[in-house]
Amino acid sequence: MPHSDPCLDIQGLVKDLGPVAALDGKMVRVIDGVHLRAFPGQVTALLGANGAGKTTTLECAQGLTRPNGGSVRLLGKDPFEAGAGLRSRVGVMLQEGGLPQAIRPVPLLRHVAGMYSRPRSVDDLVERLGIHHFSNTPIRRLSGGQKQRVALAAALVGDPEVLFLDEPSAGLDPQSRAVVFDLIQELRAEGLGIILTTHLMDDAQRLADYVFIIDAGKTVAHGTVAELTKATDESAGVERLLTFDARPGLDLAELRALPLEVHEAVPGRYTVTGALAPEHLVRLAQFWAAHGVMPAAIHMAPRSLEDVFLDISGKELR
Amino acid sequence: MNAPAPLLRRVLLQGRYETVAMLRNGEQLLIAVILPLMALVGLSITPLLDEFTDSRIDMAAPGVLALCAVSTGLTGQGIATGFDRRYGVLRFLSTTPLGQSGLILGKVIAVLTVLAIQTVVISTVALLLGWHPAPAGIAPALVQLVLGAGAFTSLGLLIAGTVRPEATLAITNLLWVLLAAAGGILFPIASWPDVYEPAAHLLPSTALGDALRSALMQAEFNLTASIVLLVWTVVASLAAIRWFKWS
């Protein structure tokens, strides 16, 4: 953890939404115990399945909605009560972009830039994000990736200290994704505190310095990607996942003696997870020899963020 | 550390932005200027108003100005705000230094600017058609027109902030037609059946039409109509504040 003060500090967040007609007009508690801390010069990812409460958490952090409980401090202030002064230091890219449809990108960016006393150069942003290639097209006719780039430019034009990105890679083609990811890393190096939500493991693994896993409205785990994917017990070594393909229906009973989890995940594909050591691999090979099995494929890797996520939430991310 | 642009600059920028957006939109221009102009010319060359007045244009012009307030406040702002809400524009702008209050003030400026343009265009054409407004009634009429625009803009925002944009589009366009035909805007409601007339006096459209006709035809201040308008403005604003959903 760096020594600077957090740019965003959320403790014990509670938020009710509704009333929901299907539940006789009752309110639904969508957030109940989100904790989150983000620091300048870092990318902090909120990772969770759709509906886990990531966007609602961001809305509370941005002052768009008032929490029902807990505390939210954005640059040391309550974002719901703070005024234009705080908003001028924070950039927001919403999930659907939040862009008006009839206008062209550059006039829109100039309009937004006018709201700040010291905006970034619109021309530089337009160049950097490749917006000049489609600057004569109204926003309504842009592709998803093009809209996303305009929305990112609109979030950055105020030269913010804190940047919120809700699902930044949604709808991005591979080229746009590379441009956007490079820019995010550059902004981090400039010292911005970047908070992004994603349901994509790859995004979190590639971009995030620190990850908060949100499930069913709670923070259920947090740490660096390395910390989260490491085994809980240091002495046990790094957790790994080994998969092998062989004929379906092998009797795994004799492998159960090992201190590992062994499953036939789908017929013909077997997974072995745990702190795999060389002697375990010997036992595995002996098992194959005893059953006359030559695996068609063997793969071994450290536990991924996805495995951690599945362990914690028991849910598929996508 | 960045800082916001001054409040006045932010609000004026947003006002200009919304004004340009309204004037550039073909359908908005149709309902804000073209249809009112057609109503003005139509009422001055047909005998529809002959049962109420000796001078068609003197009665038509105040009614068409009242219709302009419905076009811009209810239909124009209703539809624009409804779609901005759908696309998250209201939320995004709320996160910039403009904020929610700046967004509303920008809309007020846009409505007043478009209304001023409409008033100049309609009045010019009406004067060319022989309109003689009562000079003493012009100032009170302008105040009542602004009050009416306030009532209809609040109603437009209330609808835009509570139902889907497609529904807002349908409701505000339908209301425009109904109010123009039978809402006491273009025609005094004196000629309607007895069951309808008392209730119709409570409509904001009747109140605005009557107030402008009293002011610009007889130089009279129509107190009852002004009170009805004021009540509509206050109630609709409070309802919009209470029920408007930003997302």
Side-chain angles (χ1 to χ4, degrees):
Chain A
M1 282 272 171
H3 296 292
S4 56
D5 290 332
C7 52
L8 175 66
D9 192 351
I10 296 178
Q11 295 302 323
L13 188 68
V14 177
K15 178 67 189 171
D16 298 331
L17 292 184
V20 179
L23 297 170
D24 300 329
K26 288 203 183 72
M27 302 294 282
V28 178
R29 181 148 292 188
V30 291
I31 302 285
D32 190 7
V34 166
H35 305 273
L36 173 69
R37 249 193 205 136
F39 289 87
Q42 286 199 346
V43 174
T44 305
L46 274 72
L47 184 65
N50 292 326
K54 304 185 298 289
T55 298
T56 308
T57 300
L58 283 198
E59 285 180 351
C60 292
Q62 294 154 357
L64 283 172
T65 183
R66 188 199 285 275
N68 297 90
S71 80
V72 180
R73 309 299 287 177
L74 177 62
L75 292 166
K77 299 192 171 75
D78 176 351
F80 193 79
E81 301 293 338
L86 180 64
R87 290 197 300 272
S88 70
R89 300 166 62 193
V90 177
V92 175
M93 183 174 115
L94 298 173
Q95 198 167 344
E96 307 85 14
L99 304 174
Q101 302 290 298
I103 194 169
R104 286 158 202 220
V106 177
L108 173 72
L109 294 174
R110 295 209 190 287
H111 175 58
V112 177
M115 301 293 166
Y116 301 85
S117 64
R118 285 183 296 278
R120 272 178 187 255
S121 153
V122 169
D123 293 337
D124 287 355
L125 277 171
V126 163
E127 173 83 30
R128 183 73 170 78
L129 285 163
I131 293 168
H132 55 286
H133 295 305
F134 49 83
S135 59
N136 281 323
T137 312
I139 288 168
R140 109 160 34 85
R141 277 196 247 121
L142 299 180
S143 73
Q146 291 170 332
K147 281 182 190 162
Q148 201 78 330
R149 283 188 265 164
V150 177
L152 179 58
L156 283 172
V157 77
D159 197 13
E161 293 161 58
V162 179
L163 179 64
F164 287 102
L165 304 169
D166 199 353
E167 299 280 352
S169 57
L172 288 187
D173 52 89
Q175 290 89 333
S176 299
R177 198 171 135 97
V179 170
V180 168
F181 279 27
D182 281 355
L183 184 58
I184 290 174
Q185 272 152 358
E186 207 175 289
L187 294 165
R188 166 173 59 190
E190 285 175 25
L192 267 79
I194 301 168
I195 297 115
L196 58 86
T197 68
T198 182
H199 64 281
L200 300 176
M201 289 300 165
D202 192 39
D203 282 10
Q205 220 143 2
R206 275 182 59 186
L207 285 175
D209 297 295
Y210 208 82
V211 178
F212 288 84
I213 298 181
I214 313 275
D215 186 47
K218 278 185 182 51
T219 300
V220 290
H222 59 94
T224 63
V225 173
E227 283 166 3
L228 284 171
T229 52
K230 205 158 61 179
T232 39
D233 182 3
E234 287 284 340
S235 62
V238 175
E239 288 232 353
R240 290 175 199 279
L241 169 70
L242 183 148
T243 56
F244 64 90
D245 293 353
R247 69 164 189 268
L250 289 175
D251 181 7
L252 301 170
E254 54 201 274
L255 287 178
R256 302 234 195 267
L258 296 172
L260 301 168
E261 296 255 340
V262 189
H263 297 289
E264 185 170 0
V266 291
R269 169 154 298 179
Y270 300 83
T271 64
V272 183
T273 48
L276 273 160
E279 55 269 31
H280 299 139
L281 298 180
V282 173
R283 290 281 299 276
L284 209 51
Q286 287 168 344
F287 168 79
W288 292 329
H291 290 265
V293 168
M294 181 60 209
I298 305 171
H299 177 78
M300 186 168 69
R303 236 160 62 114
S304 72
L305 205 46
E306 183 146 19
D307 304 320
V308 177
F309 185 84
L310 289 175
D311 278 0
I312 292 170
S313 70
K315 278 191 207 113
E316 289 286 345
L317 264 181
R318 37 180 334 203
Chain B
M1 189 161 91
N2 213 328
L7 175 66
L8 186 64
R9 178 178 150 80
R10 305 198 301 267
V11 169
L12 288 177
L13 267 181
Q14 185 63 20
R16 188 183 69 181
Y17 169 84
E18 295 239 2
T19 304
V20 171
M22 287 183 88
L23 294 178
R24 278 218 181 134
N25 183 305
E27 298 100 81
Q28 299 264 24
L29 213 53
L30 180 73
I31 208 160
V33 180
I34 311 294
L35 292 180
L37 272 179
M38 286 170 70
L40 184 71
V41 174
L43 290 174
S44 65
I45 60 173
T46 61
L48 284 168
L49 292 175
D50 286 357
E51 61 170 301
F52 308 104
T53 179
D54 301 329
S55 168
R56 292 169 185 170
I57 189 67
D58 284 351
M59 179 166 270
V64 171
L65 288 175
L67 184 62
C68 286
V70 183
S71 297
T72 301
L74 180 76
T75 314
Q77 268 307 320
I79 294 171
T81 307
F83 281 96
D84 276 356
R85 177 171 155 247
R86 150 79 52 87
Y87 292 113
V89 181
L90 303 182
R91 285 168 73 222
F92 170 66
L93 289 174
S94 302
T95 69
T96 71
L98 183 67
Q100 292 185 344
S101 51
L103 198 53
I104 301 286
L105 288 173
K107 287 187 181 297
V108 170
I109 290 174
V111 168
L112 292 178
T113 309
V114 174
L115 192 61
I117 293 169
Q118 291 171 302
T119 304
V120 169
V121 172
I122 297 294
S123 301
T124 305
V125 174
L127 290 170
L128 290 175
L129 292 172
W131 183 33
H132 290 285
I138 293 176
L142 287 177
V143 173
Q144 285 160 322
L145 186 59
V146 169
L147 187 59
F152 284 109
T153 306
S154 303
L155 286 171
L157 294 181
L158 176 63
I159 297 168
T162 47
V163 303
R164 288 181 302 118
E166 291 79 5
T168 301
L169 186 77
I171 293 169
T172 58
N173 275 323
L174 189 65
L175 278 177
W176 188 90
V177 172
L178 287 177
L179 293 180
I185 289 188
L186 298 175
F187 309 97
I189 49 169
S191 59
W192 290 90
D194 290 348
V195 283
Y196 178 68
E197 201 196 308
H201 277 292
L202 298 177
L203 290 174
S205 48
T206 311
L208 183 58
D210 285 352
L212 295 188
R213 278 187 289 272
S214 299
L216 294 169
M217 293 175 78
Q218 291 106 32
E220 281 169 12
F221 187 80
N222 189 329
L223 186 65
T224 318
S226 300
I227 291 172
V228 171
L229 271 187
L230 190 63
V231 170
W232 273 99
T233 307
V234 171
V235 170
S237 308
L238 291 175
I241 290 168
R242 171 70 183 78
W243 283 294
F244 191 93
K245 290 198 289 276
W246 290 83
S247 55

